[in-house]
C-alpha cells in the first residue's frame, strides 16, 4: 500500500499535468488564431507548429520557475496540501475564464493561487513581497508597453507600406505572421513548463 506522501505526490503531478493541459488550450490558441483566421496556415499546420514549438520552448530556461517556485512564498511553507490547493484554484479559474471567454493569464492565476493558499495556510507574513511586486509590475507595465509598441509599429508599417501592392504586402506579412505565431508558441511552451 503506497504511503500518503506518495499518493499526495501523484496527485500533485496529475494536477500539474492537468493545469498544463488546460493552460495549453486556454493560452496557446491566442498564438495561432490569427494565422488560421487569415488562412496563412491551415488549422492542422498551426496546431502542429504550436505543439512542436511548445515542446521546444519547454526545454529552455528557468526564470519563470525561479519566481514561481521561490519568489512568492518560502519553500518551507509550500506543503503538498498548499500546492494541491493552489493548482486546484488555478485550474478552476482557467476553466471559468475559458468558458465565459474572459481573457486572463494562466501564469497570474497560478501565482496568485499560491499567494492565496500561502495566506490561508500560514498568514500574510509568509508572502515574499519582492516576488509579488515583480509579478504585479509585469501585469501593469507589460500591457502598457505592448499597446504603445504596437501603436508605434502600426503607424510605422502604415507609412512604410502605404503605396505597396496588396499582393506583396500579403506575401510579406503572411510569412511574418507565421514567424510571430511560432515565437509565441515557443515562448508560451517555455513559460508553461517552468510554471509546472
Amino acid at each position: 500500500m503506497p504511503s500518503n506522501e506518495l499518493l499526495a505526490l501523484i496527485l500533485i503531478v496529475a494536477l500539474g499535468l492537468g493545469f498544463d493541459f488546460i493552460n495549453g488550450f486556454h493560452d496557446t490558441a491566442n498564438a495561432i488564431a490569427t494565422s488560421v483566421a487569415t488562412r496563412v496556415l491551415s488549422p492542422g499546420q498551426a496546431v502542429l507548429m504550436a505543439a512542436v514549438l511548445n515542446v521546444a520552448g519547454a526545454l529552455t530556461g528557468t526564470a519563470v520557475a525561479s519566481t514561481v517556485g521561490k519568489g512568492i512564498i518560502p519553500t518551507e511553507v509550500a506543503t503538498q496540501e498548499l500546492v494541491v490547493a493552489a493548482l486546484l484554484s488555478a485550474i478552476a479559474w482557467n476553466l471559468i475564464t475559458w468558458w465565459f471567454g474572459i481573457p486572463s493569464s494562466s501564469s497570474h492565476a497560478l501565482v496568485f493561487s499560491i499567494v492565496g493558499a500561502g495566506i490561508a495556510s500560514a498568514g500574510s507574513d509568509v508572502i515574499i513581497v519582492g516576488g509579488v511586486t515583480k509579478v504585479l509590475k509585469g501585469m501593469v507595465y507589460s500591457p502598457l508597453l505592448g499597446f504603445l509598441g504596437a501603436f508605434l509599429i502600426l503607424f510605422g508599417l502604415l507609412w512604410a507600406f502605404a503605396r505597396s501592392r496588396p499582393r506583396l504586402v500579403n506575401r510579406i506579412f503572411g510569412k511574418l505572421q507565421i514567424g510571430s505565431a511560432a515565437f509565441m508558441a515557443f515562448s508560451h511552451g517555455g513559460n508553461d513548463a517552468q510554471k509546472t
Side-chain angles (χ1 to χ4, degrees):
M1 177 106 183
S3 67
N4 289 341
E5 291 81 16
L6 179 60
L7 291 174
L9 179 62
I10 292 169
L11 177 62
I12 289 169
V13 169
L15 287 172
L17 291 171
F19 173 80
D20 207 26
F21 178 76
I22 291 166
N23 187 16
F25 73 73
H26 186 270
D27 291 353
T28 303
N30 297 331
I32 63 172
T34 55
S35 299
V36 174
T38 58
R39 297 188 177 132
V40 172
L41 293 174
S42 71
Q45 290 170 323
V47 169
L48 180 63
M49 179 185 74
V52 168
L53 290 171
N54 265 286
V55 170
L59 302 175
T60 64
T62 59
V64 175
S66 178
T67 298
V68 173
K70 299 176 190 166
I72 306 300
I73 59 171
T75 53
E76 60 271 8
V77 176
T79 63
Q80 290 177 327
E81 293 82 8
L82 184 141
V83 174
V84 167
L87 283 168
L88 286 172
S89 175
I91 287 169
W93 180 252
N94 277 347
L95 289 174
I96 290 167
T97 56
W98 167 76
W99 182 261
F100 290 105
I102 300 168
S104 69
S105 166
S106 296
S107 303
H108 293 116
L110 182 60
V111 167
F112 289 102
S113 292
I114 293 170
V115 168
I119 291 171
S121 171
S124 60
D125 293 340
V126 300
I127 303 305
I128 299 172
V129 177
V132 175
T133 302
K134 186 192 308 185
V135 173
L136 289 172
K137 283 180 181 176
M139 285 176 66
V140 172
Y141 295 137
S142 179
L144 292 175
L145 292 173
F147 280 124
L148 177 63
F151 183 78
L152 294 173
I153 290 169
L154 173 68
F155 275 98
L157 290 173
L158 286 172
W159 176 80
F161 290 95
R163 292 187 172 86
S164 299
R165 294 177 184 245
R167 177 176 246 163
L168 173 68
V169 173
N170 285 340
R171 192 169 353 115
I172 291 170
F173 283 93
K175 289 183 181 13
L176 290 173
Q177 198 172 44
I178 293 170
S180 171
F183 174 76
M184 291 296 294
F186 179 80
S187 62
H188 183 265
N191 289 339
D192 283 354
Q194 293 176 48
K195 284 182 281 188
T196 53

